[in-house]
């Protein structure tokens, strides 16, 4: 599988909540690093983390850039908080392939629609 196909399948399987399909896209040595929290997950732990994440509903791939065995995707993620209110996030996923499978994902997450912090604006 090439990087463009891997990124498209990665996003589609997460959006479909197809956790076994996601696991099949990941290399046995897969590692995910979450830049914003400093966490690191191996393949099965990361798939389980996503499968069990409370309130997750949708992931839509908005943009992508591919070069060789690397792909970067920017996606909009929608979930619900404990009271059922919608939550919106942006995630940039930097994927690396090995042997036709995703061996690494570095993710950077941000809340959407919160506006700029007032203390940082004049």
């Amino acid at each position: 599988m090439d990087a463009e196909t891997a990124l498209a399948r990665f996003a589609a399987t997460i959006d479909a909540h197809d956790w076994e399909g996601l696991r099949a896209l990941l290399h046995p040595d897969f590692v995910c690093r979450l830049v914003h929290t400093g966490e690191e997950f191996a393949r099965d732990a990361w798939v389980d983390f996503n499968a069990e994440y409370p309130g997750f509903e949708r992931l839509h791939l908005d943009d992508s850039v591919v070069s060789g065995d690397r792909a970067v995707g920017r996606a909009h993620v929608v979930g619900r908080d404990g009271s059922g209110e919608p939550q919106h996030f942006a995630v940039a996923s930097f994927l690396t392939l090995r042997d036709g499978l995703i061996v690494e994902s570095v993710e950077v997450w941000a809340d959407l629609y919160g506006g700029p912090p007032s203390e940082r604006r004049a």
Side-chain angles (χ1 to χ4, degrees):
M1 171 171 49
D2 64 20
E4 184 173 11
T5 301
L7 177 59
R9 289 184 183 168
F10 178 81
T13 57
I14 292 171
D15 183 55
H17 299 223
D18 178 4
W19 309 120
E20 288 311 309
L22 179 61
R23 194 179 317 272
L25 296 174
L26 306 179
H27 193 280
D29 296 334
F30 174 83
V31 172
C32 178
R33 293 177 179 84
L34 302 181
V35 172
H36 58 293
T37 64
E39 295 171 283
E40 185 172 298
F41 298 89
R43 181 179 73 177
D44 291 337
W46 185 75
V47 172
D48 292 345
F49 173 76
N50 280 276
E52 297 167 3
Y53 202 86
F56 168 68
E57 290 183 359
R58 300 296 314 262
L59 180 144
H60 180 267
L61 186 62
D62 292 326
D63 194 9
S64 63
V65 177
V66 178
S67 179
D69 64 353
R70 305 281 318 270
V72 178
R74 178 179 53 85
H76 181 179
V77 178
V78 179
R80 301 255 172 210
D81 66 15
S83 65
E85 292 296 313
Q87 296 178 303
H88 296 270
F89 303 92
V91 60
S93 299
F94 299 78
L95 306 181
T96 303
L97 273 65
R98 182 191 313 151
D99 304 325
L101 296 170
I102 301 166
V103 72
E104 180 183 55
S105 178
V106 176
E107 297 184 357
V108 182
W109 286 80
D111 290 330
L112 293 178
Y113 312 128
S118 60
E119 67 274 6
R120 295 187 189 165
R121 304 297 185 259

